[in-house]
Amino acid sequence: MSTTPRVVIIGAGIVGANLADELTARGWDRVTVVDQGPLPLTGGSTSHAPGLVFQTNASKTMTALASYTVEKLKGIDVDGAWCFNQVGGLEVATTPERLADLHRKQGWATSWGVEAQVVDAEECVRLHPLVDRDRILGGLHIPSDGLAKASRAVVALARRAEARGARFQGSTRVTGIEQAGGRVTGVRTPDGVIPADLVVSCAGFWGVELGAMVGMDVPLLPLAHQFVWTGQVPDLVGRNDELSEASLPILRHQDQDLYYRERVDCLGIGSYAHRPMPVDLRELPQGDGVRESSMPSMLPFTEEDFAPAWEQSQLLLPSLRATKIDNGFNGVFSFTPDGGPLIGESRDVAGFWIAEAVWVTHSAGVGRAVAQLLVDGRSEIDLHGCDVHRFEDVQLAPEYVSETSQQNFVEIYDVIHPLQPRLSPRNLRVSPFQARQQELGAVFLEAAGWERPHWYEANAPLVEELPTEWVPPERDAWSAQFHSPIAAAEAWRTRTAVAMYDMTPLKRLEVSGPGALGLLQRLTTGEMDKSVGAVTYALALDEAGGIRSDLTVARLGEQLFQVGANGPLDHDYLQRQAPADGSVQIRDITGGTCCIGLWGPRARDLVQRLSADDFSNDGLKYFRAKRARIGGVPVTAMRLSYVGELGWELYTSADNGQRLWDVLWAAGQDLGVIAAGRAAFNSLRLEKGYRAWGHDMTTEHNPYEAGLGFAVRTQKKADFVGRQALAGIGDDTVSRRLSCLTIDDGRSVVLGHEPVLVDGHPAGYVTSAAFGHTVGRPIAYAWLPASATVGTEVEIEYFGTRIPATVATEPLVDPEMTRLRG
């Protein structure tokens, strides 16, 4: 008798079918897939999905998920009929801005290992003869893209899973999730309960309702998206037979929010050029209302919304002027606040998982990743950008989900700068310093709902005072967006005087109780059993030794620790790992506290004149913390610096925040104190070689590859997660490294995700980059083969041009640590 878990997958679309296939391929044979609709076309998004698979994405993870989908679907068929037609993909540009962006996308493709070429207009027409040569400037061609026949793939996957023991059950509506003792025990249907040890909701836009059954917020918005089929297109007659359906590459005209696919002698046209159309699930048929002839996800076509798209389509593809729209519909798809999928397990009900907001493009990749999570405990592909728990609580509000998801629909094909902030909603989370920051002309960008100053217009006069060697060069138009030369002045003052940085958005967790030390010992690579006042930089690893986070842990009491974390995923992880006996309490204290990073060579002069506490080097050593009063304000002072200068992170309660700002500001005027923003901060931290988790390293990297082996205390007596996986690995054994590059021309500022070439061949990619104001040249950190040692000359591809760079010794500034320890 099988001993594998009983798994119920809710949703028999392309995601559920892929998951069933992946689980059964790993030997799990007690898998039941249920769907409220009839099999195989259940009426969800898969039933009408247009099937275009464009792999290239700014996200390495999303590209990897799509690439696996291509490879998997290429290898299956239904009685000889294809499930994936690899006709290639073509994106055309009708504006110089779009053409430049296609060069950027080609860089992403190269970084992530996908073959892609930017081609001229003539080649675009050769690839897709229906395109009007006079309307385009060029295109991006990706030969491995193509058409997925989603409905047929579901049949193939279901057959294969059933042959291994899975069971598919249609016309079965889920009415509840059974649970006991905080775990799922089954899925309730009108015909009774299906017992389950694990339940995975792959219900697409129905996922919000399924999550609600266990009290789980699923930040997803169903939106309708227009799609039409044309009548016969004369220029397509005779090109294809019924079996092949298509030979032209799938086509995107993103300047007009349109895409096209061939079907025999007709074209399918999808449009994002219309108003967002949120869908109320209560108005869609469910359960017995879903019949063979009904498709809940296909809403009536609103012709007036498509009229402008039809006009633009006839301009790009003149052959369409000889035909008309044969039929159309408004198809329901799932959108999320940041455009990413939603993968993860309920916090409150163990064994209830979701895999929602997943399009056909990424379906097989997500199916494999979730199967790996369930069977192995980890995905080989980093999933932090897909984890359902990545959002802050404020981002789970229905109003936020609705507005941001609709905005994602509007911007889906827009050229988006990596620093471009959303315009609305804003001011959701502000630090106690905001009023003072506004008085200083702070230019705010936004992240995780927080308003974060990137520079201050009040510092503009300092640009004129910059020493010659600090004057930054002019930037190109792209890297100059959301940037100001004021950042150079703020970096200069930080290095030469003193600056105040708002570090309030840093996630702060309080871990307390008799079991706190044991928990942190087990989950981190650092030695936590130190004296009260010790601060430790450590890593949290997964079982395979991948870096799931980096943490700064301050021991403030025998049973009290403050953890500087990277975001909600760290909070979620600690909560899940905490013992069930209540011996550990974990609290997010971010909103009730605030933090000023006071850094620079004059920082001690400033703080000492405001405090009777000893802030000398002996009084508070590097990486130590203590409680003190500054200008009468109670603070927890930690001697840390993410910018590589003397100073402290000064924490206080939110009600005392503005007062702390004011006393430091007033007392520091004769010392040259300024407020400084994130732009200067990022430049300074890269000069010091400090990594940013999620950008520079993820679960796909181990500490030695990331240059963080020093944070692994191999002599630590207590065992920790990932320790065994690191056995035998060291700085000298790795085959790749996160490397520091300096850009040779001294002016070309890259922004991240660009490919890096060694000896003319793609060998890695940029993670973080900034202009190094102290060293007077641009800096980039990149993953490269370990053979690319210091002094190796490389090239970074930036918008189709190659920029020379050199692997440098790090850190670039203060390698002896004299500034920090002075």
Side-chain angles (χ1 to χ4, degrees):
M1 183 176 178
S2 175
T3 57
T4 63
R6 298 167 299 178
V7 182
V8 174
I9 298 169
I10 305 171
I14 191 69
V15 181
N18 263 299
L19 177 56
D21 177 62
E22 295 286 341
L23 286 174
T24 55
R26 288 163 173 77
W28 284 23
D29 54 0
R30 297 199 290 175
V31 176
T32 302
V33 184
V34 299
D35 201 296
Q36 66 174 341
L39 301 177
L41 292 179
T42 62
S45 299
T46 299
S47 304
H48 64 74
L52 285 74
V53 178
F54 283 91
Q55 298 166 81
T56 304
N57 193 290
S59 162
K60 179 177 182 290
T61 292
M62 297 302 284
T63 300
L65 295 173
S67 295
Y68 179 74
T69 300
V70 168
E71 290 307 308
K72 182 175 180 178
L73 297 189
K74 273 171 53 182
I76 61 176
D77 64 80
V78 176
D79 302 327
W82 59 269
C83 293
F84 189 81
N85 187 355
Q86 200 160 36
V87 291
L90 180 65
E91 301 181 28
V92 294
T94 60
T95 64
E97 294 77 15
R98 179 68 62 181
L99 185 61
D101 193 58
L102 294 184
H103 281 285
R104 182 171 67 129
K105 284 187 174 181
Q106 189 269 334
W108 296 342
T110 302
S111 290
W112 316 143
V114 176
E115 181 189 348
Q117 303 87 30
V118 175
V119 297
D120 61 20
E122 283 71 22
E123 180 63 9
C124 289
V125 174
R126 190 192 70 77
L127 291 165
H128 202 301
L130 272 60
V131 172
D132 183 349
R133 161 66 184 84
D134 294 335
R135 292 199 172 270
I136 61 171
L137 302 177
L140 177 67
H141 180 225
I142 301 179
S144 57
D145 287 347
L147 282 169
K149 192 78 159 181
S151 56
R152 189 180 292 160
V154 165
V155 173
L157 294 166
R159 285 182 182 178
R160 195 157 72 177
E162 286 173 327
R164 303 187 191 115
R167 185 166 64 96
F168 280 69
Q169 186 174 316
S171 302
T172 303
R173 187 183 181 197
V174 173
T175 58
I177 307 297
E178 297 287 305
Q179 52 184 291
R183 287 201 62 87
V184 294
T185 59
V187 170
R188 195 183 321 131
T189 77
D191 299 322
V193 173
I194 305 172
D197 304 302
L198 295 168
V199 174
V200 187
S201 175
C202 302
F205 57 80
W206 300 106
V208 177
E209 290 194 352
L210 271 298
M213 292 180 181
V214 297
M216 184 178 184
D217 289 318
V218 179
L220 177 157
L221 182 71
L223 285 168
H225 156 60
Q226 291 200 300
F227 189 85
V228 305
W229 289 106
T230 70
Q232 188 181 72
V233 178
D235 288 344
L236 292 180
V237 173
R239 284 186 59 95
N240 307 297
D241 57 33
E242 295 287 339
L243 185 62
S244 66
E245 284 194 19
S247 55
L248 294 178
I250 52 177
L251 178 67
R252 284 204 285 196
H253 180 21
Q254 293 179 301
D255 287 320
Q256 295 296 331
D257 297 320
L258 294 164
Y259 64 80
Y260 308 87
R261 58 150 297 173
E262 192 180 12
R263 187 178 70 181
V264 191
D265 54 8
C266 305
L267 278 186
I269 307 173
S271 171
Y272 294 100
H274 54 81
R275 61 192 168 90
M277 303 177 187
V279 175
D280 188 340
L281 296 182
R282 293 170 297 184
E283 298 176 1
L284 302 183
Q286 300 184 44
D288 292 340
V290 181
R291 304 294 185 189
E292 294 278 358
S293 58
S294 70
M295 287 285 176
S297 61
M298 296 175 68
L299 304 181
F301 185 58
T302 51
E303 189 174 354
E304 65 277 9
D305 288 305
F306 194 76
W310 181 237
E311 182 179 340
Q312 290 297 330
S313 295
Q314 290 174 313
L315 291 174
L316 181 70
L317 308 171
S319 297
L320 295 182
R321 298 168 191 168
T323 188
K324 60 182 181 179
I325 297 171
D326 185 62
N327 63 81
F329 59 91
N330 293 356
V332 185
F333 288 96
S334 303
F335 282 76
T336 62
D338 61 3
L342 305 172
I343 298 171
E345 184 183 18
S346 164
R347 283 198 187 102
D348 303 315
V349 182
F352 182 86
W353 290 72
I354 70 168
E356 310 287 17
V358 181
W359 293 8
V360 173
T361 303
H362 310 103
S363 58
V366 167
R368 179 179 66 167
V370 174
Q372 290 175 341
L373 287 170
L374 297 179
V375 177
D376 307 323
R378 75 182 297 270
S379 163
E380 66 186 73
I381 294 174
D382 167 62
L383 295 178
H384 82 270
C386 305
D387 195 308
V388 65
H389 301 297
R390 66 188 180 270
F391 299 102
E392 299 283 354
D393 284 347
V394 70
Q395 297 174 298
L396 298 175
E399 299 83 359
Y400 182 93
V401 173
S402 177
E403 180 177 351
T404 54
S405 297
Q406 290 184 61
Q407 192 60 31
N408 275 330
F409 178 93
V410 170
E411 296 177 347
I412 192 165
Y413 282 168
D414 288 0
V415 177
I416 303 290
H417 191 278
L419 291 177
Q420 184 170 321
R422 65 175 76 255
L423 299 178
S424 176
R426 291 293 295 268
N427 291 307
L428 296 177
R429 310 176 81 190
V430 298
S431 82
F433 318 129
Q434 194 195 34
R436 299 296 183 256
Q437 293 166 343
Q438 289 175 325
E439 291 168 2
L440 295 171
V443 175
F444 293 96
L445 301 186
E446 178 266 348
W450 283 104
E451 296 296 322
R452 303 171 73 155
H454 271 241
W455 66 85
Y456 294 83
E457 290 295 333
N459 294 326
L462 295 178
V463 177
E464 302 303 318
E465 300 178 23
L466 281 172
T468 303
E469 65 273 18
W470 280 83
V471 176
E474 290 291 323
R475 293 188 173 212
D476 68 275
W478 182 254
S479 65
Q481 291 186 55
F482 308 103
H483 183 75
S484 168
I486 293 172
E490 293 177 358
W492 170 57
R493 274 296 179 90
T494 306
R495 291 282 192 231
T496 58
V498 60
M500 295 163 55
Y501 288 83
D502 182 0
M503 303 300 291
T504 301
L506 174 72
K507 177 69 73 176
R508 289 176 292 286
L509 305 174
E510 182 184 270
V511 182
S512 62
L517 174 61
L519 177 69
L520 293 172
Q521 284 281 64
R522 180 169 61 86
L523 297 186
T524 72
T525 60
E527 177 57 70
M528 298 298 158
D529 194 6
K530 298 178 180 177
S531 61
V532 172
V535 182
T536 305
Y537 175 79
L539 306 175
L541 306 179
D542 63 20
E543 292 288 356
I547 304 171
R548 62 181 309 145
S549 190
D550 64 338
L551 307 168
T552 303
V553 183
R555 190 171 196 176
L556 302 181
E558 288 295 327
Q559 298 183 3
L560 176 64
F561 297 82
Q562 181 172 311
V563 178
N566 283 297
L569 294 183
D570 294 324
H571 188 198
D572 181 65
Y573 178 59
L574 289 175
Q575 284 181 312
R576 291 179 189 279
Q577 294 294 321
D581 60 8
S583 61
V584 182
Q585 291 79 49
I586 299 164
R587 197 161 62 97
D588 184 347
I589 60 172
T590 312
T593 55
C594 57
C595 178
I596 294 175
L598 185 73
W599 294 313
R602 306 301 301 275
R604 182 173 284 130
D605 298 334
L606 172 52
V607 76
Q608 199 65 78
R609 65 175 54 169
L610 290 169
S611 181
D613 294 282
D614 186 358
F615 280 86
S616 69
N617 195 42
D618 290 334
L620 185 56
K621 293 182 182 297
Y622 187 54
F623 261 76
R624 296 288 297 179
K626 72 176 180 181
R627 301 189 191 279
R629 291 187 182 274
I630 295 177
V633 178
V635 302
T636 298
M638 297 187 194
R639 188 158 170 209
L640 312 173
S641 173
Y642 209 50
V643 299
E645 292 293 330
L646 169 69
W648 303 269
E649 291 179 356
L650 303 173
Y651 296 91
T652 190
S653 56
D655 59 321
N656 282 310
Q658 184 168 296
R659 184 176 166 211
L660 177 63
W661 181 284
D662 287 345
V663 297
L664 289 169
W665 184 259
Q669 290 304 302
D670 64 320
L671 300 174
V673 72
I674 63 163
R678 295 290 300 185
F681 177 90
N682 197 47
S683 169
L684 296 169
R685 70 104 178 165
L686 285 176
E687 289 183 327
K688 191 60 184 168
Y690 291 147
R691 278 73 165 136
W693 184 85
H695 296 277
D696 298 316
M697 70 281 189
T698 67
T699 55
E700 295 182 9
H701 312 104
N702 72 48
Y704 300 100
E705 294 172 324
L708 297 174
F710 67 87
V712 180
R713 292 288 177 252
T714 54
Q715 69 273 29
K716 175 178 169 179
K717 291 183 180 180
D719 197 15
F720 58 85
V721 175
R723 185 174 197 158
Q724 292 181 349
L726 297 183
I729 300 176
D731 292 327
D732 298 330
T733 68
V734 298
S735 60
R736 61 177 177 176
R737 287 195 181 93
L738 185 64
S739 303
C740 177
L741 307 179
T742 55
I743 293 175
D744 295 347
D745 69 7
R747 58 177 295 113
S748 297
V749 179
V750 299
L751 298 178
H753 297 174
E754 297 88 356
V756 181
L757 296 89
V758 178
D759 296 328
H761 302 288
Y765 58 91
V766 173
T767 58
S768 296
F771 189 87
H773 298 291
T774 314
V775 298
R777 61 177 51 198
I779 307 165
Y781 271 77
W783 282 101
L784 290 176
S787 57
T789 54
V790 170
T792 300
E793 296 179 352
V794 302
E795 293 175 302
I796 302 173
E797 188 174 300
Y798 180 68
F799 286 91
T801 62
R802 293 187 178 183
I803 300 169
T806 303
V807 179
T809 302
E810 59 167 328
L812 297 172
V813 172
D814 192 29
E816 296 83 17
M817 302 283 283
T818 54
R819 291 172 179 262
L820 282 169
R821 297 182 183 275

